[in-house]
């Protein structure tokens, strides 16, 4: 039995079935990079060039979005008539950036515009009655929602009664109304508003359904600016916000989202907004290369912290200010709120994990955990961490009085929005995507909802719920060179449907002695042939004991069966599954493998790919 057992099932890829060398030479890319791209569906030289160099020229004009024409005409009429416009957004990064984008674009056109962001706990998600009241009290004649509104029929009907025009811009799935029962996709009822600009409408002819909320806002701004014959520089000036919101939201980073995210990364770095520059400084990345990780795990949490444990209006003020000293102060406030968020999150995560372990909930296909006193602002992050830990779709519910507010995250293959739709009779409201969703329900329905969710999960194949690592390619680590790293950097930014490439190398040697670093991380050196690389395995320092035992066993076996003229091996061998990147520490940059999983080579009988470590080097 292997001394080091894997934590996941490894799904190794089949060997390449096409000739990689011709494309490799034509594109001047390593064959391994070409192999990875072909496996992602980019099969021609033109497809690969388009992926590696996403051009803004391939962004689609907004014309095909549903209701884009009446929405554009109504906004221009409001500007010409000097009517006050209220932008109503959501409290997450997507909603905040979309709100700031529309405020910025319309302000540049001379519009009388103000904005409103709801309080997460007091109002919850969507177009609220409080927001409508704010619009009325401030004399707004036109309301434009962003990242919300598609399913807020009741409040939107109230706006119509108050003789306020509403334009909904959103990217969430549209649901049927509660009193008319379950509807098919083609029977979804549109809210009673002037326009619903949403690529996920059943009657939408827009070729790409997966724009983020800020992406839809960008398309509306594009339409208005174009109709008013404004210079394209005004549209380009919005790309930093589009990139920030798109990367931060859980949307597939393919097609237009990839283009917006990629050019958005460049725009963020050179953004003239004092708020973004101040945010880069407090995050400690002002002078470092930006990546999807930088945005998703360093900038986005600080912006999200405002809506999670404070008020999202603070984040909007940061992105709108033109004053550097105010930007520095607001960024510091967000940084402080983020630390508070981390403390709350850690406490709830510990409590949730205790409940899961005590109830053996991880033995089920889905995990639903609920408790009193949990902060609604952080339960989504807790759900995401529980998914990472247990490899199960997880929904975390914060109970208060007779109600519950929940947030869920999912695994590949389990469409969370579809699951909630199937269980909707137990919910008072829900919305979201296949990877992330929010919900509300009565406290008394928590049990029945959990049962319905489990029943739905039982209809799906078992493999959906098996902790599995889908490995993109098997290659010896001596093929991890500068040319490959340069190519992989062009895969950025990573996210849903464009994940960081996951490689495997089989039968690598452990060099020297593994060591514990930080709280519970494992650092070790690995070698294949003449190539040795440093590797880090987060949270796996406990494996040092098993590695030491494995190395001792291997050395004893080698002592018993010596080979003439060959040095006695001192260490066992590992199969490793990893991502690769450049790592800078104390001014020194090196190649580092981040191990997702590893196992003792001996005793694992999976069929080896023809490009594993036993294969000769390509010519």
């Amino acid at each position: 039995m292997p001394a080091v057992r894997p934590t996941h099932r490894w799904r190794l890829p089949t060997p390449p079935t096409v000739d990689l060398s011709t494309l490799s030479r034509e594109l001047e890319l390593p064959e391994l990079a070409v192999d990875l791209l072909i496996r992602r569906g980019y099969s021609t030289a033109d497809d690969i060039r388009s992926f590696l160099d996403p051009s803004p020229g391939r962004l689609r004009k907004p014309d095909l979005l549903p209701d884009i024409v009446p929405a554009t005409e109504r906004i221009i009429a409001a500007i010409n008539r000097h009517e006050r416009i209220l932008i109503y957004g959501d409290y997450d990064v997507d909603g905040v950036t979309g709100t700031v984008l529309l405020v910025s674009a319309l302000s540049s056109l001379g519009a009388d515009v103000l904005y409103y962001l709801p309080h997460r706990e007091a109002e919850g998600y969507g177009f609220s009655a409080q927001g409508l009241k704010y619009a009325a009290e401030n004399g707004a004649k036109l309301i434009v929602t962003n990242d919300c509104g598609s399913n807020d029929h009741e409040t939107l009907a109230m706006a119509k009664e108050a003789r306020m025009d509403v334009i909904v811009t959103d990217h969430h799935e549209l649901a049927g109304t509660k009193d008319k029962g379950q509807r098919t996709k083609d029977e979804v009822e549109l809210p009673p508003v002037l326009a619903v600009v949403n690529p996920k409408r059943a009657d939408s002819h827009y070729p790409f359904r997966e724009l983020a909320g800020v992406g839809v806002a960008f398309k509306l701004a594009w339409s208005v600016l174009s109709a008013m014959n404004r210079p394209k520089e005004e549209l380009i000036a919005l790309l930093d916000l589009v990139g920030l919101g798109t990367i931060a939201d859980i949307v597939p980073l393919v097609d237009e989202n990839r283009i917006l995210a990629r050019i958005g990364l460049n725009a963020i770095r050179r953004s003239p907004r004092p708020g973004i520059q101040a945010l880069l400084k407090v995050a400690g990345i002002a002078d470092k290369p930006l990546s999807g990780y930088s945005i998703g795990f360093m900038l986005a949490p600080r912006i999200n912290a405002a809506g999670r444990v404070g008020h999202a209006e603070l984040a909007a003020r940061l992105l709108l200010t033109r004053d550097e000293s105010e930007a520095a102060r607001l960024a510091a406030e967000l940084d402080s709120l983020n630390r508070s968020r981390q403390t709350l999150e850690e406490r709830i995560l510990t409590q949730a994990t205790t409940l899961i372990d005590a109830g053996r909930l991880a033995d089920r296909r889905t995990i639903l955990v609920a408790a009193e006193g949990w902060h609604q602002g952080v339960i989504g992050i807790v759900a995401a961490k529980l998914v990472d830990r247990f490899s199960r779709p997880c929904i975390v519910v914060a109970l208060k009085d007779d109600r519950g507010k929940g947030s869920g995250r999912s695994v590949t293959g389990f469409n969370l929005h579809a699951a909630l739709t199937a269980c909707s009779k137990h919910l008072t409201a829900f919305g979201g995507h296949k990877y992330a969703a929010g919900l509300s329900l009565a406290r008394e329905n928590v049990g029945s909802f959990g049962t319905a969710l489990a029943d739905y999960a039982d209809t799906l194949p078992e493999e959906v719920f098996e902790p599995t690592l889908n490995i993109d390619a098997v290659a010896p680590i001596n093929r991890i060179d500068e040319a490959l790293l340069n190519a992989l950097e062009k895969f950025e930014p990573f996210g849903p449907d464009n994940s960081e490439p996951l490689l495997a190398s089989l039968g690598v040697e452990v060099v020297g002695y593994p060591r514990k670093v930080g709280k519970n991380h494992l650092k070790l050196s690995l070698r294949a042939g003449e190539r040795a690389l440093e590797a880090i395995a987060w949270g796996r320092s406990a494996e040092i004991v098993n590695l030491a035992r494995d190395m001792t066993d291997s050395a004893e076996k080698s002592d018993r069966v010596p080979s003439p003229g060959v040095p006695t091996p001192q260490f066992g061998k590992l199969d490793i599954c990893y991502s690769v990147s450049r790592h800078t520490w104390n001014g020194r940059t090196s190649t580092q493998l981040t191990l997702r999983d590893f196992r003792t080579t001996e005793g694992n009988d999976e069929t080896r790919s023809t490009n594993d470590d036993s294969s000769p080097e390509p010519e």
Side-chain angles (χ1 to χ4, degrees):
M1 181 177 292
V4 180
R5 300 182 182 89
T7 59
H8 291 67
R9 180 167 65 94
W10 293 21
R11 181 175 288 135
L12 297 174
T14 57
T17 57
V18 298
D19 175 26
L20 302 177
S21 59
T22 301
L23 273 177
S24 175
R25 287 193 299 271
E26 181 179 352
L27 295 165
E28 297 182 338
L29 289 172
E31 287 191 14
L32 180 53
V34 173
D35 185 14
L36 292 170
L37 290 164
I38 289 175
R39 292 177 189 276
R40 293 181 182 219
Y42 306 100
S43 56
T44 68
D46 286 343
D47 288 342
I48 291 174
R49 289 191 188 97
S50 296
F51 175 82
L52 296 177
D53 186 22
S55 167
R58 290 194 295 275
L59 290 173
R60 300 178 183 93
K61 292 182 179 180
D63 307 24
L64 289 178
L65 279 168
D67 288 351
I68 193 71
V69 173
T72 300
E73 291 175 347
R74 182 63 183 91
I75 289 173
I76 293 174
I79 294 172
N80 291 336
R81 294 198 292 254
H82 306 289
E83 293 177 335
R84 178 160 288 175
I85 304 170
L86 175 76
I87 309 299
Y88 185 104
D90 188 28
Y91 38 64
D92 67 358
V93 181
D94 189 21
V96 170
T97 52
T99 298
V100 171
L101 184 150
L102 289 172
V103 169
S104 300
L106 298 186
S107 295
S108 71
L109 297 172
D112 180 2
V113 60
L114 66 162
Y115 67 92
Y116 183 90
L117 298 170
H119 189 279
R120 183 187 289 263
E121 286 203 72
E123 299 169 71
Y125 170 76
F127 185 31
S128 70
Q130 294 96 314
L132 179 59
K133 180 181 178 182
Y134 180 86
E137 290 175 346
N138 285 274
K141 299 298 183 183
L142 173 63
I143 299 172
V144 181
T145 76
N146 177 246
D147 197 26
C148 62
S150 290
N151 299 308
D152 298 315
H153 293 251
E154 185 176 341
T155 313
L156 293 170
M158 293 167 57
K160 185 176 182 179
E161 290 177 7
R163 297 189 175 181
M164 279 185 274
D165 286 335
V166 179
I167 295 168
V168 169
T169 74
D170 197 6
H171 70 130
H172 293 94
E173 298 284 355
L174 287 81
T177 53
K178 201 72 169 171
D179 59 333
K180 295 186 179 179
Q182 185 65 41
R183 295 172 175 267
T184 66
K185 182 178 178 182
D186 293 332
E187 295 174 327
V188 168
E189 181 177 306
L190 294 176
V193 296
L194 175 75
V196 179
V197 186
N198 185 337
K200 288 184 178 171
R201 279 176 51 167
D203 60 346
S204 174
H205 298 291
Y206 197 76
F208 184 59
R209 287 173 46 87
E210 303 298 337
L211 288 170
V214 69
V216 180
F218 176 73
K219 296 286 182 169
L220 178 59
W222 182 349
S223 181
V224 173
L225 290 168
S226 177
M228 298 187 73
N229 296 313
R230 305 294 288 198
K232 66 178 181 180
E233 285 74 19
E234 293 187 18
L235 190 65
I236 292 172
L238 305 173
L239 290 172
D240 54 351
L241 297 169
V242 186
L244 183 53
T246 298
I247 295 171
D249 209 42
I250 306 177
V251 292
L253 289 185
V254 295
D255 202 287
E256 285 194 286
N257 284 343
R258 172 165 171 78
I259 298 171
L260 292 171
R262 179 69 166 268
I263 61 180
L265 273 180
N266 296 329
I268 290 167
R269 168 58 68 206
R270 60 175 185 270
S271 173
R273 299 177 202 276
I276 287 183
Q277 295 304 321
L279 205 59
L280 290 169
K281 288 180 182 177
V282 298
I285 55 175
D287 300 316
K288 296 180 180 178
L290 289 184
S291 64
Y293 180 89
S294 306
I295 305 302
F297 292 91
M298 305 187 80
L299 294 190
R302 288 169 168 83
I303 297 175
N304 265 330
R308 292 188 187 282
V309 296
H311 198 293
E313 197 261 344
L314 178 67
R317 280 163 47 206
L318 171 74
L319 296 177
L320 284 167
T321 186
R322 295 296 176 183
D323 183 89
E324 292 186 1
S325 60
E326 182 185 23
R329 177 179 61 80
L330 292 171
E333 285 188 50
L334 287 179
D335 193 51
S336 177
L337 284 174
N338 191 49
R339 288 194 294 273
S340 299
R341 184 270 305 170
Q342 290 171 324
T343 301
L344 273 171
E345 172 198 318
E346 192 60 38
R347 175 176 62 81
I348 295 173
L349 178 63
T350 299
Q351 294 171 351
T353 303
T354 299
L355 289 173
I356 291 168
D357 291 342
R360 298 181 62 86
L361 302 183
D363 295 340
R364 305 176 183 177
R365 286 186 163 191
T366 58
I367 294 175
L368 172 66
V369 61
E372 191 84 32
W374 286 350
H375 196 290
Q376 295 175 17
V378 301
I379 55 176
I381 309 173
V382 172
K385 294 201 170 186
L386 292 175
V387 171
D388 288 341
R389 182 171 299 186
F390 296 107
S391 299
R392 293 283 188 270
C394 292
I395 296 176
V396 180
V397 177
L399 299 173
K400 185 178 181 181
D401 300 326
D402 62 344
R403 314 300 299 170
K405 289 288 184 71
S407 188
R409 298 294 184 269
S410 194
V411 296
T412 302
F414 188 92
N415 187 319
L416 190 56
H417 187 273
L420 296 184
T421 300
C423 305
S424 60
K425 71 177 183 180
H426 305 281
L427 307 173
T428 55
F430 70 93
H433 320 293
K434 60 183 177 181
Y435 295 117
L439 58 93
S440 301
L441 75 172
R443 179 192 285 259
E444 63 185 16
N445 288 340
V446 171
S448 61
F449 169 60
T451 300
L453 189 66
D455 290 344
Y456 175 83
D458 284 342
T459 66
L460 300 177
E462 175 62 31
E463 63 184 30
V464 170
F465 306 95
E466 293 181 8
T468 302
L469 291 173
N470 294 308
I471 295 165
D472 294 290
V474 182
I477 61 174
N478 49 13
R479 292 178 67 183
I480 310 298
D481 56 15
E482 283 296 305
L484 180 65
L485 286 168
N486 290 336
L488 292 182
E489 285 180 348
K490 293 182 179 181
F491 285 37
E492 281 273 10
F494 300 121
D497 293 353
N498 184 44
S499 58
E500 188 172 14
L502 196 59
L503 306 177
S505 295
L506 309 176
V508 299
E509 296 178 70
V510 179
V511 182
Y513 290 92
R515 59 195 184 278
K516 177 181 177 181
V517 295
K519 184 178 180 180
N520 61 343
H521 312 308
L522 177 68
K523 195 76 179 286
L524 64 166
S525 296
L526 301 170
R527 181 175 63 200
E530 299 300 317
R531 177 75 160 160
L533 293 172
E534 291 293 307
I536 183 82
W538 305 113
R540 299 289 297 273
S541 63
E543 294 285 6
I544 288 179
V545 173
N546 291 329
L547 285 169
R549 182 184 303 120
D550 181 49
M551 290 189 293
T552 301
D553 292 345
S554 178
E556 289 175 351
K557 291 176 184 177
S558 297
D559 287 341
R560 287 195 299 269
V561 190
S563 300
V566 178
T568 300
Q570 297 181 1
F571 308 114
K573 290 187 176 183
L574 295 177
D575 295 343
I576 59 173
C577 175
Y578 59 92
S579 58
V580 59
S581 62
R582 290 187 174 93
H583 176 67
T584 301
W585 178 254
N586 287 337
R588 177 179 172 268
T589 299
S590 60
T591 300
Q592 178 174 275
L593 309 182
T594 300
L595 302 188
R596 289 286 305 279
D597 202 4
F598 53 96
R599 64 194 186 190
T600 303
T601 297
E602 184 180 353
N604 287 297
D605 298 323
E606 286 88 346
T607 301
R608 302 297 173 100
S609 172
T610 56
N611 61 339
D612 68 15
D613 280 341
S614 63
S615 304
E617 277 291 281
E619 294 181 2

